[in-house]
Amino acid sequence: MTRDLSTDLIHHPYQPPAGFAAPQPGVFKASTVLFKDVAAMRSRDWRSREGYTYGLHGTPTTMLLEERIATLEGGRQCLLVPSGLAAVALVDLALLGPGDEVLLPANVYGPSRELTRNELARWGITHRLYDPMDAQALGGSITAATRLVWLEAPGSVTMEFPDLAALARTAYERGVLTALDNTWGAGLALRGFEHGIDIVMQALTKYPSGGGDVLMGSVTTVDLKLHERIKGTHMRLGLGVAGNDAEMVLRSLPTVALRYAAQDQAARHLAGWLQAQPQVARVLHPALAGSPGHEHWARHCKQAAGIFSVLLQPHYTQAQVDRFVDALQLFGIGYSWAGPMSLAVPYDLRVMREGSALQGHLVRLCIGLEAVADLQEDLQQALRAAFEA
Ligand SMILES: Cc1ncc(COP(=O)(O)O)c(C=O)c1O
């Protein structure tokens, strides 16, 4: 019998200590791991997944979360790191060296680009941006120096959904590894390995945590050799996570599918409603017909995350748009997303996406778990206060 992923995230093959049973796993916290004698210490290979060496390299709690995230992403092995951005950095540092080139989509998560432009450049690693909406053109961008192609679906803030499978195929045919930032898809709307992608990272900070109170990232693979290569760098960089943080994500994981579906439904309702408001020029949400790459979203996904962007009429001033965001009562003003509270961030498109064809002032909305009717009323009063006063 094949089971739904939401069931697998709860009924996972976890074994509690003998004589004890509970739905949630126990929590182990350690820097020091004790060995029964010197011989046991000497015989322990710290690279092996069997057994424990040192808290930084894994405890039963962190390893259990790694297994569950691998299940969520449809992969086989997973490594945890202290943030989503650290997961991007881990992949880059494990796979790239001097003289290598990495390709980033033009709409990549901004700090990933900053990492590449600043830190990787210091190590002699170059990068180029490619247009993720032109899968054919990617082939022409790959050179003999290209070692890695980053993918993101949809792009951060401007929300264009690429033809992921075609991009992955193009890189594969040229022998180049692909890594997907699957923070938006969360392993629920989108499963990277089904589209031929080699590495899937996720900011667990967002949906898997769901509380807006934990920072964590994951790097998942299906190929053991690739995993071992990344794991070596993970260990040498000292990128472990604490048991308390792992525990918080383990506690949230059984509800991730429900939260994701609820936030998807609420976001789609509000995106559709906003599209009909006179103050709104355009809504960028991959599940809405007419949004950039909607047809690719429809081929790759059944669900969508609860995050989208709104372009307000181009004749409004930035001050009016800021007034709209300030007038929102239920939306916090803040950068992270996927927690219980709805959030809004105004972005300057001219700074965000040089040369973008999109016009107008952009506000990104992330929908939380408040009642959707209350959120709609809040958006309505803020639109009126900012643009009709
Ligand atoms: C698409 C995407 N990837 C990665 C990250 C980084 O996650 P973290 O905040 O855990 O570093 C974020 C955070 O906003 C994100 O939106």
Side-chain angles (χ1 to χ4, degrees):
M1 187 178 81
T2 53
R3 295 192 307 198
D4 192 84
L5 175 61
S6 56
T7 308
D8 278 341
L9 288 175
I10 297 165
H11 294 272
H12 208 268
Y14 160 73
Q15 291 298 321
F20 178 77
Q24 278 298 85
V27 180
F28 297 89
K29 294 178 264 189
S31 53
T32 300
V33 169
L34 295 175
F35 297 88
K36 85 174 168 13
D37 52 29
V38 174
M41 181 181 244
R42 290 229 166 94
S43 67
R44 167 84 190 126
D45 178 356
W46 58 274
R47 284 162 303 212
S48 158
R49 280 203 70 77
E50 305 308 317
Y52 308 96
T53 317
Y54 186 61
L56 186 61
H57 303 322
T59 62
T61 303
T62 60
M63 288 178 175
L64 180 66
L65 180 55
E66 286 173 347
E67 280 174 26
R68 290 197 178 182
I69 298 299
T71 300
L72 181 66
E73 296 281 21
R76 295 214 183 105
Q77 316 88 16
C78 173
L79 293 161
L80 300 177
V81 291
S83 72
L85 186 54
V88 177
L90 172 62
V91 173
D92 286 336
L93 292 173
L95 302 179
L96 301 170
D100 291 346
E101 177 185 68
V102 54
L103 298 185
L104 307 180
N107 53 9
V108 70
Y109 172 59
S112 300
R113 187 173 174 193
E114 289 305 302
L115 162 77
T116 312
R117 195 151 49 184
N118 293 282
E119 302 312 315
L120 299 190
R122 291 195 299 116
W123 296 84
I125 299 160
T126 58
H127 79 281
R128 259 173 321 124
L129 300 181
Y130 69 91
D131 176 1
M133 302 309 281
D134 189 347
Q136 297 254 308
L138 176 65
S141 299
I142 291 174
T143 68
T146 312
R147 296 281 169 276
L148 179 66
V149 175
W150 273 101
L151 306 164
E152 199 171 317
S156 274
V157 181
T158 42
M159 310 300 290
E160 303 89 347
F161 205 101
D163 187 345
L164 263 190
L167 292 172
R169 206 177 320 114
T170 301
Y172 176 78
E173 283 166 2
R174 285 157 183 80
V176 176
L177 289 171
T178 45
L180 170 71
D181 182 335
N182 201 21
T183 303
W184 178 94
L188 295 162
L190 183 62
R191 306 195 94 204
F193 300 114
E194 290 173 7
H195 302 291
I197 292 159
D198 299 298
I199 302 154
V200 177
M201 65 70 47
Q202 196 182 144
L204 305 181
T205 308
K206 316 297 185 212
Y207 286 105
S209 143
D213 51 2
V214 185
L215 284 151
M216 200 179 291
S218 59
V219 176
T220 305
T221 42
V222 286
D223 181 89
L224 186 60
K225 284 219 157 46
L226 189 54
H227 165 74
E228 283 172 349
R229 206 169 141 198
I230 302 171
K231 184 175 168 146
T233 302
H234 180 264
M235 288 180 150
R236 289 185 289 270
L237 285 174
L239 289 176
V241 303
N244 282 337
D245 286 349
E247 170 195 8
M248 286 173 81
V249 181
L250 280 168
R251 192 172 191 286
S252 295
L253 217 46
T255 59
V256 69
L258 282 176
R259 287 184 279 108
Y260 196 92
Q263 287 169 317
D264 176 9
Q265 215 177 5
R268 279 202 234 188
H269 171 85
L270 293 170
W273 178 81
L274 278 162
Q275 206 163 33
Q277 303 311 301
Q279 301 91 341
V280 173
R282 195 164 175 199
V283 177
L284 305 171
H285 183 311
L288 285 196
S291 201
H294 168 70
E295 64 286 4
H296 300 145
W297 170 83
R299 261 193 284 118
H300 290 79
C301 305
K302 292 206 167 49
Q303 288 184 282
I307 188 165
F308 61 95
S309 293
V310 175
L311 286 169
L312 293 150
Q313 297 294 2
H315 63 273
Y316 294 145
T317 63
Q318 187 64 58
Q320 277 179 297
V321 174
D322 292 355
R323 207 154 60 227
F324 162 65
V325 175
D326 282 338
L328 291 165
Q329 310 271 304
L330 297 177
F331 287 74
I333 301 172
Y335 282 114
S336 200
W337 44 287
M341 182 191 283
S342 293
L343 298 168
V345 185
Y347 283 96
D348 185 339
L349 263 180
R350 287 162 307 176
V351 177
M352 269 310 282
R353 296 272 179 276
E354 267 170 61
S356 165
L358 297 172
Q359 296 282 318
H361 300 283
L362 185 147
V363 177
R364 187 186 75 176
L365 298 175
C366 177
I367 306 308
L369 290 165
E370 302 93 337
V372 71
D374 293 339
L375 293 174
Q376 183 172 314
E377 206 173 298
D378 192 28
L379 287 163
Q380 183 146 48
Q381 68 74 26
L383 285 172
R384 285 197 184 129
F387 304 117
E388 288 169 24

